[in-house]
Amino acid sequence: MTQTAPWWHAATAYQIYPRSFCDSDGDGIGDIPGIISRLDHLADLGIGFVWLSPVYRSPMADNGYDISDYRDIAPEFGTLADMDRLIAEAKSRGIGIVMDLVVNHSSDEHHWFQEARRSRDNPYRDYYVWRDPAPNGGAPNDLQSNFGGPAWSYDERTGQYYLHLFDRRQPDLNWQNPELRRAIYEMMNWWLDRGVAGFRMDVIDLIGKDPDASITADGPDLHPFLREMHDATLKGRDVVTVGEAWSATTEGALLYSGRDAGELSMVFQFAHIVQGWDEVHGKWKPKPFDLVGLKQVLAEWQLALADDGWNSLFWSNHDLPRAVSKYGDDGRFRVVSAKMLATVLHMMKGTPYIYQGEEIGMTNIAFTDISQFRDIETLNFHKIQTAAGVTPGDFLAGANSNGRDNARTPMQWTDGPQAGFTSGEPWIEVNPNHREINVAADRARPDGIFAHYCELARLRRELAVMREGSFTPYLQDHPKVMAYVRQHEDARIAVLANFTGEVVTVDVPRGLAISGRAISANYPGRDALDGTAELRPFEAVAILEG
Ligand code: TEU
């Protein structure tokens, strides 16, 4: 008997960063009623589910990735009743709402942590990771926080250190404690029973950590915990789950998302992102774009998950720069290059994620002063790096090219004041280019970027070859073009794209030759590939045979 494919194989996902999406009450912060007012935009785009970045109650040290109550909504975002209405309104448009589950850590204002820090024998003490000071009184070991500095902070009252792999206001939860795990599963079931369509799981690769052995990602208990979670919450429910896993390798991805893994639907993997970072200075030091390196990683993942497991496909999210600025051209060729990136990404096998604003080609913002940044990660690293001698100009260059605030400037709805995002003062500056780049202007054009994304989402629903077809890469050593073929039963799609602003002439390899009709293209008039092809700047075409 053939198994029917899950619903989310045919779905295009869309990520909302609520703080920056749409503000309904003029406080300068996006909110849930604002999202509801824009659901038709997503329905028009043909979205299957929304990954909603955290809306839970939170002191917002890390914009909601520090949760103080998992069963309530932050007042600046709305109420539980608003959330129920969002779930229902989205559902009536065929859209599922996927909650962001941040359970590697909580906020230090969560009552569990408030209790835990009262005394060493408090019943909640063991919900977190406490260790005695080293013999010299310092931190237990030199584990470092992802946001810079030591991953241990000293708690005066109880004389021990607690672990935080992110900011000190984000203490790590102790997954070794079965009661904590049970409390999390209950909370997940509470949300599932409210009708959410699944979870995106924040830094889920960290929950099996063994801090005493300085093991954070991929700890020994990671997969057993995920299987336990699955059995206690997800099993028997038709939901989608995506685990954020910076450490995931292709083998690891199969452990999480293999057919019989009993864990997650897919992982959100970063190998293609990290290959573009500097080996020593990471993302803070820009590195020239290397298409060959990027293609190699993408193909490796496509091939490794060809028959089992499932890929997430994305260029960007709320932690990354804007796709068109990073991989395309956000100046003269913005529109064609944004479409090119969409075509090559969405034509691969996996679930594509559109990050808010990508569907109209929003770009990075160029801040000129550190006071304009809001992100805790950028501000922490600014302190650390300038103290270490990095010049303010160099730091600014790095933060402007790879910093997280690029993705967090408000959604550009109109060419009006504050881009139609808010009637008040936005919490972070609106990109001045909203006068040209905005939803209203792009959607008014039949050849806009939005229209191009709509088409891709529609094709995914219609074409089995796009969802399930095999993937064969071509021209892997070519530094300027990306090429591949998808095949399923008798159907074949060939994809060819120019990643540069120059005309590029390519000898079409035999396996890539095709004739039929262009189903996704950013220039008119190419329905076949054969012999030599002269590709226009950032041209991309996907041709369906026959
Ligand atoms: O991100 C995980 C994470 O490791 C990132 O902070 C990453 O190190 C950095 O952004 C690289 O550019 C998740 C969330 O997506 C992020 O927004 C949170 O800040 C973080 O977890 C903590 O919850």
Side-chain angles (χ1 to χ4, degrees):
M1 205 181 84
T2 53
Q3 266 188 321
T4 46
W7 62 271
W8 39 266
H9 278 203
T12 297
Y14 187 94
Q15 185 191 351
I16 291 183
Y17 195 67
R19 205 175 179 79
S20 301
F21 191 64
C22 183
D23 175 23
S24 71
D25 60 6
D27 67 355
I29 297 172
D31 48 43
I32 296 172
I35 297 173
I36 296 172
S37 75
R38 298 292 182 174
L39 280 175
D40 286 337
H41 175 71
L42 306 184
D44 294 347
L45 192 50
I47 291 307
F49 66 92
V50 165
W51 153 18
L52 182 64
S53 275
V55 289
Y56 312 84
R57 190 176 278 275
S58 161
M60 303 284 166
D62 188 17
N63 290 354
Y65 284 90
D66 50 320
I67 297 169
S68 56
D69 187 346
Y70 289 98
R71 300 192 194 206
D72 203 0
I73 300 295
E76 52 268 67
F77 291 152
T79 62
L80 266 178
D82 291 331
M83 189 63 205
D84 288 340
R85 201 156 59 83
L86 172 62
I87 293 170
E89 290 272 344
K91 195 167 185 187
S92 74
R93 292 166 176 82
I95 298 173
I97 297 291
V98 167
M99 292 286 271
D100 210 318
L101 186 76
V102 189
V103 290
N104 172 68
H105 44 269
S106 72
S107 161
D108 62 346
E109 293 185 25
H110 194 290
H111 85 90
W112 293 339
F113 192 71
Q114 297 288 310
E115 285 293 319
R117 72 186 330 177
R118 289 163 86 94
S119 70
R120 291 196 189 193
D121 56 8
N122 186 280
Y124 290 98
R125 183 75 172 177
D126 192 45
Y127 273 35
Y128 295 86
V129 182
W130 299 93
R131 294 291 183 270
D132 286 330
N136 67 2
N141 61 32
D142 29 293
L143 270 180
Q144 294 293 301
S145 152
N146 285 297
F147 288 163
W152 298 100
S153 282
Y154 188 62
D155 180 63
E156 289 287 342
R157 164 134 57 144
T158 57
Q160 285 188 311
Y161 282 84
Y162 67 89
L163 180 72
H164 55 88
L165 293 175
F166 293 88
D167 191 69
R168 58 188 307 148
R169 287 166 287 174
Q170 295 168 295
D172 273 54
L173 289 163
N174 177 21
W175 274 73
Q176 297 300 327
N177 181 326
E179 268 174 53
L180 175 269
R181 300 205 300 276
R182 212 169 309 125
I184 288 173
Y185 305 154
E186 269 173 31
M187 175 271 287
M188 290 172 67
N189 281 322
W190 186 83
W191 280 109
L192 289 165
D193 293 343
R194 273 192 122 85
V196 302
F199 295 105
R200 175 268 184 183
M201 301 184 187
D202 193 60
V203 287
I204 203 67
D205 55 345
L206 303 182
I207 63 172
K209 68 186 78 85
D210 178 358
D212 302 311
S214 291
I215 294 172
T216 55
D218 288 324
D221 293 315
L222 169 63
H223 292 288
F225 287 162
L226 283 175
R227 284 193 290 270
E228 181 188 79
M229 172 198 281
H230 181 271
D231 288 350
T233 61
L234 308 165
K235 197 174 178 171
R237 305 200 197 233
D238 192 12
V239 295
V240 62
T241 50
V242 47
E244 187 199 25
W246 283 80
S247 66
T249 59
T250 51
E251 295 81 41
L254 288 166
L255 294 179
Y256 289 102
S257 70
R259 203 172 289 117
D260 304 317
E263 294 188 15
L264 305 176
S265 310
M266 66 190 107
V267 285
F268 212 75
Q269 76 291 350
F270 291 86
H272 65 299
I273 303 290
V274 173
Q275 70 76 33
W277 288 0
D278 184 82
E279 284 76 14
V280 180
H281 303 278
K283 70 178 193 176
W284 300 103
K285 184 164 176 208
K287 182 176 151 183
F289 179 49
D290 166 22
L291 181 62
V292 172
L294 176 68
K295 288 190 296 182
Q296 196 184 330
V297 175
L298 291 173
E300 184 199 327
W301 280 76
Q302 287 289 302
L303 296 172
L305 276 59
D307 301 319
D308 196 12
W310 191 253
N311 265 297
S312 298
L313 307 172
F314 66 96
W315 293 127
S316 180
N317 72 3
H318 66 296
D319 295 333
L320 300 172
R322 290 280 173 185
V324 72
S325 299
K326 179 81 185 173
Y327 305 100
D329 175 347
D330 61 9
R332 176 166 167 217
F333 296 116
R334 186 183 64 87
V335 173
V336 273
S337 69
K339 291 182 189 172
M340 179 279 286
L341 291 168
T343 296
V344 297
L345 191 81
H346 287 233
M347 284 290 161
M348 285 189 280
K349 186 173 181 182
T351 297
Y353 288 77
I354 302 171
Y355 180 66
Q356 68 183 38
E358 183 184 318
E359 77 277 24
I360 57 160
M362 275 178 61
T363 68
N364 280 356
I365 189 161
F367 285 146
T368 52
D369 191 88
I370 191 68
S371 65
Q372 293 168 292
F373 290 86
R374 295 288 175 271
D375 178 25
I376 186 175
E377 181 189 61
T378 304
L379 299 177
N380 283 355
F381 274 98
H382 176 251
K383 266 187 231 144
I384 293 169
Q385 298 226 341
T386 47
V390 174
T391 67
D394 283 351
F395 185 80
L396 213 56
N400 274 333
S401 109
N402 267 331
R404 308 198 300 182
D405 281 334
N406 281 310
R408 301 177 180 188
T409 63
M411 182 73 182
Q412 295 165 206
W413 295 102
T414 68
D415 63 2
Q418 310 299 4
F421 161 71
T422 180
S423 58
E425 264 311 298
W427 69 277
I428 187 171
E429 284 173 44
V430 171
N431 195 317
N433 69 17
H434 71 272
R435 285 176 206 95
E436 296 84 51
I437 304 170
N438 60 73
V439 171
D442 188 82
R443 287 194 59 163
R445 300 178 51 156
D447 62 347
I449 301 169
F450 181 85
H452 189 85
Y453 271 93
C454 288
E455 201 53 26
L456 285 164
R458 190 180 61 77
L459 289 166
R460 172 164 300 272
R461 292 192 299 275
E462 284 175 6
L463 298 176
V465 57
M466 197 168 153
R467 299 191 300 269
E468 313 293 344
S470 64
F471 173 94
T472 309
Y474 287 91
L475 301 168
Q476 280 296 80
D477 295 326
H478 198 296
K480 295 179 178 170
V481 306
M482 177 161 173
Y484 58 86
V485 168
R486 304 286 313 279
Q487 172 132 27
H488 181 64
E489 296 169 352
D490 291 339
R492 229 174 122 241
I493 298 174
V495 177
L496 180 61
N498 176 3
F499 270 72
T500 76
E502 302 147 31
V503 173
V504 175
T505 305
V506 189
D507 290 326
V508 176
R510 184 138 18 124
L512 195 68
I514 195 166
S515 96
R517 91 193 140 85
I519 51 172
S520 179
N522 54 2
Y523 289 88
R526 193 186 294 281
D527 289 309
L529 292 173
D530 199 11
T532 57
E534 198 170 274
L535 295 175
R536 291 157 280 193
F538 292 103
E539 179 171 356
V541 65
I543 297 172
L544 178 67
E545 195 162 53

